[in-house]
């Protein structure tokens, strides 16, 4: 359960994007999958213990190293390519793909490259697309105007840098960005293999950040004049809010536990002093945890009363039913091994999700249609 929130300054040693130095595809000690804490008492409606996930159709195919996904109001999808540094538009009806353009300044290497993308809260009027990427010197966030009237390949305007100076590494670059219900920009970062950064409140690494759309520390952040919203993270690649605007985040463990966390401003989530549930004081425990070979979690989304979590090495879609900010039942796995590595999951409205595979990232076993975007019906 929740321990006292403290901002500790400690040091530690390094690791990679999902575990040991081989990245998020790695061996791990055998252990029980999906352990969850006992649910807190709550008057909220609790989803059934057992749910379902059914792939309705394949929306897009032949995508190269897809990473970020941003649904447009008309139903089409923007998708980023980590290694090609491009953003493309996928027609959700026909699957036809057209390239908006290449994002300048991206330096793909290891687990870095063009990662998460998000639409401005005022996208209908300002047409701004935000992107998180690895440059030659750091990880940074930029925004670009999306102009559909320009020729294919030239539809992205010059990037305006919103935030620079997020630590980069061959591993642990974080990369997920999302605008919250408060219209602020939330950013999941990694500690870039330098575990001491996670507990350093002056570093942007190993954190969840909260920014204004212009890249300034958001009003009401727990530390004065700081973008840091929570700390003690290893590598955050999933951000989602439930129906009551509560934030959840997925996190890669090292060799023992991957995590799903309920995020509270100013709380310390323990890395590198704690991995998974811990008896250490001052750390916020995860609401669910998995052995690292069963998850390696990247994107998450909220739908039908549950968090849905994409597993890379685990090659499955996890459902974590919620009651308040606790898991109300044991997590449940779907699509195990059917589509390979799963990178990103996003809400598609009602009981639908968009699910993006990740088999062309150098660690998967792609088939003739990879990578792809799937439409999934869940309950």
């Amino acid at each position: 359960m929740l321990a006292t929130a403290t901002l500790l300054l400690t040091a530690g040693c390094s690791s990679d994007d999902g575990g040991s130095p081989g990245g998020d595809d790695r061996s791990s000690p055998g252990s029980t999958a999906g352990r969850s804490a006992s649910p807190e008492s709550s008057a909220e409606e609790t989803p059934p213990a057992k749910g379902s996930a059914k792939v309705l159709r394949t929306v897009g195919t032949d995508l190269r190293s897809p990473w970020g996904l941003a649904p447009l109001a008309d139903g089409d999808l923007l998708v980023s390519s980590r290694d090609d540094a491009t953003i493309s538009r996928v027609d959700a009806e026909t699957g036809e793909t057209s390239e908006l353009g290449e994002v300048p300044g991206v330096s793909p290497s290891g687990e870095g490259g063009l990662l998460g993308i998000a639409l401005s809260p005022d996208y209908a009027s300002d047409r701004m697309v935000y992107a998180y990427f690895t440059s030659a010197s750091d990880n940074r966030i930029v925004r670009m105007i999306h102009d559909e009237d320009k020729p294919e390949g030239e539809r992205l305007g010059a990037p305006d840098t919103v935030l620079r100076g997020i630590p980069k590494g061959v591993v642990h670059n974080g990369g997920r960005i999302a605008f919250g219900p408060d219209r602020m920009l939330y950013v999941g970062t990694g500690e870039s293999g330098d575990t001491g950064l996670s507990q350093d409140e002056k570093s942007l690494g190993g954190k969840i950040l909260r920014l204004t759309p212009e890249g300034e520390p958001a009003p009401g952040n727990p530390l004065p004049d700081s973008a840091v919203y929570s700390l003690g993270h290893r590598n955050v690649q999933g951000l989602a809010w439930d129906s009551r605007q509560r934030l959840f985040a997925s996190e890669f463990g090292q060799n023992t536990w991957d995590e799903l966390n309920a995020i509270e401003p100013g709380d310390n989530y323990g890395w590198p002093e704690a991995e998974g549930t811990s008896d250490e004081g001052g750390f916020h425990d995860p609401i669910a945890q998995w052995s690292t070979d069963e998850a390696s979690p990247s994107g998450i989304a909220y739908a039908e009363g549950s968090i849905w979590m994409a597993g890379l090495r685990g090659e499955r879609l996890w459902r974590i039913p919620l009651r308040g900010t606790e898991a109300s039942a044991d997590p449940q796995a779907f699509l195990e091994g059917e589509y390979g590595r799963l990178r990103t999951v996003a809400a598609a409205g009602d009981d639908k999700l968009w699910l993006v595979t990740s088999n062309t990232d150098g660690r998967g076993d792609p088939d003739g249609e990879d990578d792809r975007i799937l439409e999934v019906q869940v309950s």
Side-chain angles (χ1 to χ4, degrees):
M1 284 296 295
L2 176 63
T4 304
T6 55
L7 298 173
L8 302 177
L9 181 60
T10 63
C13 54
S14 73
S15 192
D16 72 356
D17 179 338
S20 56
D24 52 35
D25 276 323
R26 75 289 194 216
S27 59
S28 147
S31 48
T32 303
R35 294 185 182 177
S36 57
S38 298
E40 63 185 11
S41 59
S42 170
E44 298 181 52
E45 183 178 350
T46 302
K50 297 298 182 182
S52 65
K54 177 184 178 182
V55 174
L56 298 178
R57 63 191 178 107
T58 298
V59 178
T61 60
D62 301 317
L63 302 173
R64 175 173 157 77
S65 62
W67 211 101
L69 189 75
L72 296 169
D74 65 3
D76 287 354
L77 305 167
L78 299 186
V79 60
S80 62
S81 167
R82 186 194 69 182
D83 296 339
D84 291 347
T86 57
I87 297 177
S88 297
R89 179 171 184 152
V90 178
D91 188 306
E93 294 298 324
T94 67
E96 182 180 351
T97 300
S98 58
E99 185 178 304
L100 272 61
E102 182 175 344
V103 179
V106 179
S107 180
S109 178
E111 295 168 357
L114 179 57
L115 304 176
I117 57 175
L119 303 181
S120 161
D122 297 314
Y123 176 80
S125 57
D126 66 23
R127 313 298 290 179
M128 285 288 185
V129 178
Y130 286 67
Y132 181 118
F133 69 80
T134 311
S135 76
S137 59
D138 62 3
N139 285 299
R140 60 183 60 182
I141 301 168
V142 300
R143 58 184 179 183
M144 302 156 287
I145 293 176
H146 172 203
D147 186 350
E148 275 294 314
D149 293 331
K150 295 288 185 66
E152 183 174 350
E154 301 176 13
R155 293 171 181 163
L156 291 176
D160 170 33
T161 301
V162 171
L163 180 70
R164 67 179 74 235
I166 302 169
K168 64 165 284 189
V170 176
V171 294
H172 299 187
N173 290 291
R176 195 70 62 183
I177 58 175
F179 280 95
D182 57 359
R183 298 171 59 86
M184 297 295 109
L185 179 63
Y186 291 75
V187 183
T189 74
E191 30 80 319
S192 66
D194 180 355
T195 59
L197 299 182
S198 296
Q199 293 291 329
D200 182 353
E201 64 187 47
K202 296 180 180 179
S203 172
L204 299 178
K207 308 294 190 298
I208 294 175
L209 310 177
R210 180 173 174 264
L211 308 166
T212 68
E214 292 72 38
E216 298 298 323
N221 279 0
L223 295 173
D225 302 316
S226 171
V228 173
Y229 191 67
S230 62
L231 77 163
H233 299 289
R234 185 170 179 270
N235 192 22
V236 174
Q237 290 190 5
L239 299 169
W241 288 262
D242 71 3
S243 59
R244 298 200 180 187
Q245 303 185 0
R246 292 170 294 211
L247 176 60
F248 296 83
S250 61
E251 182 168 342
F252 289 93
Q254 180 170 269
N255 292 318
T256 309
W257 297 114
D258 293 326
E259 301 177 358
L260 178 68
N261 288 298
I263 303 300
E264 294 291 340
D267 276 12
N268 189 325
Y269 289 80
W271 180 255
E273 303 302 315
E275 182 180 355
T277 301
S278 170
D279 294 329
E280 296 279 345
F283 298 141
H284 192 141
D285 284 342
I287 68 169
Q289 60 188 36
W290 294 259
S291 65
T292 52
D293 59 344
E294 292 168 318
S296 296
S298 189
I300 62 173
Y302 176 81
E304 298 296 294
S306 298
I307 293 291
W308 299 83
M309 188 178 81
L312 289 164
R313 186 168 185 232
E315 297 189 354
R316 66 200 82 175
L317 177 67
W318 285 100
R319 172 185 181 257
I320 305 93
L322 298 176
R323 186 164 72 202
T325 55
E326 299 291 339
S328 63
D330 288 339
Q332 188 179 5
F334 299 96
L335 310 180
E336 184 175 349
E338 293 184 32
Y339 294 94
R341 293 160 55 81
L342 305 179
R343 170 69 66 181
T344 295
V345 57
D350 298 326
D351 60 349
K352 307 292 195 311
L353 299 173
W354 303 118
L355 184 61
V356 183
T357 67
S358 188
N359 296 311
T360 60
D361 66 349
R363 292 177 177 160
D365 184 18
D367 68 17
E369 290 193 337
D370 280 326
D371 269 308
R372 66 193 86 186
I373 301 173
L374 308 170
E375 184 181 26
V376 183
Q377 184 176 44
V378 299
S379 66

